[in-house]
Amino acid sequence: MILPIYIYGQPVLRKVAEDITPDYPELKQLIDDMWETLAESDGIGLAAPQIGRAIRLSVIDLDVLSEDMPEYKGFRQVYINPHIVEYDDSKTDTSEEGCLSLPAIHEKVVRPTRIHVEWDDEQFQHHDEWIEGYLARVMQHEFDHLDGKMFIDHISPLRKQLIKSKLKSLTLGRYRCGYKTKAPLRAK
């Protein structure tokens, strides 16, 4: 089932998500719904808070980029209870980011190119790895959602001031996008 994407201004996007256990109700169905929602919205990553659930669950599909990035051919991964343990700040990269919860907003974000991450997969097998490159950027973006953060929290105060009216429009429900959304409660 395609779920609505929660838009900037929804309180769940600012909550710190909680770890889950294998007996989380209807977890497999929720994961299937997240994959379907992600595909419908043409995104590469989706975190549970973006569909209104304050739980530590995210899906990432880099296969959609495999024409330009062949190393990600077939890459589709579920991350349960992911936590970034350490950031290697010795090398950073600046790239433009966008977000399904922030339609039509794109900003350059500086992030470390290497991170140490722990997570469980769909079978609750534990993983503990150093991740590099583009996947590290996507993980940081998605896992920020699990900590109540968004990519705009990583831009300069000046840039944030310049997009203030766009952010206000989102909170008022004044936006357009080609996927199912849930506007903030204060939207009229």
Side-chain angles (χ1 to χ4, degrees):
M1 172 181 20
I2 296 168
L3 304 169
I5 304 286
Y6 281 52
I7 300 299
Y8 177 80
Q10 282 280 1
V12 70
L13 294 172
R14 292 305 192 174
K15 285 185 178 176
V16 175
E18 295 184 10
D19 283 350
I20 60 173
T21 59
D23 62 350
Y24 187 83
E26 300 181 32
L27 180 58
K28 181 175 180 352
Q29 184 61 53
L30 177 60
I31 292 169
D32 290 345
D33 291 347
M34 287 179 72
W35 283 124
E36 191 175 349
T37 301
L38 182 62
E40 179 68 19
S41 59
D42 291 326
I44 59 172
L46 184 65
Q50 292 180 276
I51 55 157
R53 306 270 186 115
I55 59 172
R56 296 192 79 83
L57 172 63
S58 184
V59 296
I60 295 176
D61 179 359
L62 295 184
D63 182 63
V64 298
L65 305 175
S66 64
E67 192 171 298
D68 296 324
M69 302 171 117
E71 66 271 28
Y72 294 119
K73 180 81 177 148
F75 187 95
R76 285 172 46 100
Q77 180 65 52
V78 174
Y79 296 92
I80 298 173
N81 303 329
H83 293 273
I84 298 175
V85 178
E86 185 178 353
Y87 295 86
D88 178 353
D89 292 322
S90 65
K91 186 175 176 196
T92 60
D93 176 61
T94 303
S95 285
E96 190 172 90
E97 293 187 21
C99 181
L100 297 173
S101 294
L102 292 156
I105 296 178
H106 296 84
E107 291 291 327
K108 291 189 177 194
V109 178
V110 178
R111 293 195 189 267
T113 59
R114 186 169 178 260
I115 56 174
H116 179 196
V117 185
E118 289 188 25
W119 79 91
D120 296 330
D121 61 26
E122 253 181 294
Q123 289 74 42
F124 278 82
Q125 295 298 309
H126 191 68
H127 299 262
D128 183 339
E129 296 179 32
W130 280 93
I131 306 292
E132 297 185 35
Y134 189 70
L135 177 58
R137 171 172 292 278
V138 175
M139 285 178 146
Q140 288 172 80
H141 178 108
E142 294 308 322
F143 301 167
D144 270 357
H145 282 297
L146 306 178
D147 292 326
K149 298 177 189 167
M150 301 179 86
F151 81 87
I152 56 170
D153 299 332
H154 298 285
I155 63 176
S156 73
L158 175 61
R159 286 299 314 157
K160 199 154 186 183
Q161 187 63 33
L162 291 171
I163 64 168
K164 188 176 180 179
S165 65
K166 289 181 181 179
L167 295 173
K168 176 101 171 131
S169 290
L170 292 176
T171 65
L172 296 173
R174 294 194 300 243
Y175 59 87
R176 288 183 194 199
C177 57
Y179 46 87
K180 192 170 164 183
T181 65
K182 185 168 175 78
L185 300 175
R186 60 186 154 195
K188 305 224 186 256

